[in-house]
Amino acid sequence: MNIYLPIAEVSVNAFLLLGLGGLVGILSGMFGVGGGFLMTPLLFFIGIPPAVAVATGANQIVASSFSGVLAHLKRKTVDLKMGTVLLVGGLVGAAAGVQVFAALTAIGQVDLLVRLCYVVFLGIIGALMFVESLRAIRRARASGGVVAPRRSRGWVHALPFKMRFRTSGLYISVIPPLLVGLFVGVLAAIMGVGGGFVMVPAMIYLLGMPTKVVVGTSLFQIIFVAGFATIMHATTTHTVDMVLAILLLLGGVIGAQIGAGIGVKMKAEQLRVLLALLVLAVCGRLALDLLLMPGELYSVSDAGTAP
Amino acid sequence: MTAHLRHFAAAFLAAMLLAIPGAAPAERVVAGLSRDAISITTNFEGSEILIFGAVSRTAPPPDGAPLHVIVTVEGPARPVTVRRKDRRFGIWVNTDGIEVDAAPTFYAVATTGPLLDVLSQTEDLRHRISIPRAIRAVGTGVEDLPNFTEALIRIRTDGGFYQLNEGAVDLRDQTLFDTSVRLPANLVEGDYRTRIFLTRDGAVVDAFSADIAVRKVGLERFLFNLANGQPLVYGLLSLAIAIAAGWIASAVFRYIRT
């Protein structure tokens, strides 16, 4: 059954969109990522114009993240206090990031810079996370299934302005979360994503939060960042397609519930390994796109927009 | 000049004017369309338009070259950018690009025979009938502008937006003709101009044009207007729907689990 999308001005299969939303929703609920880095390229692939894909993707991310957060709240795996601190940093970072993006657009070749950013960050984060979680799994097997809790030591815990974050079981300074939120916000504005795939590893490794709590807290912060992005896109470029968004989020909110259920049942290290593999896979695909000769050298786009 | 000479000159001029042909074409095209409006609804999957008509004559058809019919349907023109990738430092990046002032979003040409036989180059240039002529490109600094316009045509033809259907017009008895044009599902709103040309010996004998109004209707129209007219309301509405959906899904799953 095909549906005509009023803003995108294309006709797509409704079931395909439901399935796509569901798939990205499951990943969202499991790993605490917004899914934008997966959803946006998949939308391009089925023929949605880039501007509409990015803007509507942000809308869908709000829905599946909200659904996922509710699922995690029930299980008490959301650290609202930490999430708020990260969010404050995130909004400031996003505002700054928009300025950086405008400056980059003036130079030209923004698309290339964004792609390179994706490849570099996804590659580094994916590789580091993969190595660390494999080591944790091996250690768990060696010690007979008992996992020693991870505690990061050193400079992170020596900073001032400490606050108690009960749900995470942490007593650390607010400066690292603010900085992490800031950095993720800047990236989100430049790369057009919720920032989860940077936020989740940062929370796990830099802040030392338990993996269980990281997913829900990350989703909490993503809701606001993606919501902000949706309003910005709707009011400036008018490229949010409500019909597309509704079809995607119908699958997305259900998928997020399923994903959250799967995620809490899995062991923390297993979850980290899978997320690492997912991030590396996306990074690999993007790198291949850059390195291999494309089938069609020419591309057509509406005048004045990115290719 | 004497009066006699003036009268003679006036009579001579009058006779010459009456003898100049072309005051009224010998063959005129009279045509119709199966529909003059297309409503884009939610489950729009493309549309087929039947274009038909007849050649009205005051005298029997002249001997010599046969009559041919060309039918074109042109969607609204939009500016586009065409870019080309090249290899720099090991990766493929967009290097050159051209701005096309106006390229039709849809363009179909149907003829009774091969376009090269049916239409001469000069007539093509004058009436902008063939696909390359319908595109207006201004190259800035690229030496191989034709490659870019060729690429644009190739990409859009593959997508079904540009069509060249030679032989798709049925002409009976040099009088009645009909053809059908398939419009794809991904249509841009606007007036689609249909033109019909009668040609003999590569030259255009008569032309006819009519517009097909393609508009979104119903829910599609409402959402489109809201998105552009009241964007903040639209944005907040999208967010409200997103949050409501998340809430409902959560409630449903909670109910299923208990």
Side-chain angles (χ1 to χ4, degrees), chain B residues 219-239:
Chain B
L219 182 68
E220 310 280 325
R221 173 98 245 146
F222 170 70
L223 287 176
F224 185 77
N225 286 346
L226 192 65
N228 289 305
Q230 290 156 297
L232 188 58
V233 172
Y234 182 83
L236 290 170
L237 182 63
S238 315
L239 280 187

Side-chain angles (χ1 to χ4, degrees), chain A residues 16 30-31 50 67 77 81 96 98 110 139 145 180 189 204 208-209 211 265 287 303:
Chain A
L16 181 65
M30 260 174 87
F31 299 119
S67 173
T77 45
K81 207 166 171 189
V98 167
V110 169
R139 242 182 288 138
V180 166
I204 295 175
M209 288 168 68
T211 311
K265 288 205 190 86

Side-chain angles (χ1 to χ4, degrees), chain A residues 90-152:
Chain A
L91 289 177
V92 170
V98 167
Q99 304 299 322
V100 173
F101 189 79
L104 289 176
T105 316
I107 305 177
Q109 292 285 15
V110 169
D111 174 61
L112 175 66
L113 278 160
V114 168
R115 278 186 209 242
L116 286 175
C117 272
Y118 263 96
V119 171
V120 165
F121 281 107
L122 288 179
I124 295 177
I125 292 168
L128 288 175
M129 202 158 49
F130 188 63
V131 164
E132 187 278 333
S133 42
L134 266 187
R135 225 182 281 155
I137 291 182
R138 264 195 227 115
R139 242 182 288 138
R141 278 213 201 109
S143 64
V146 172
V147 182
R150 291 175 305 106
R151 282 280 173 263
S152 53

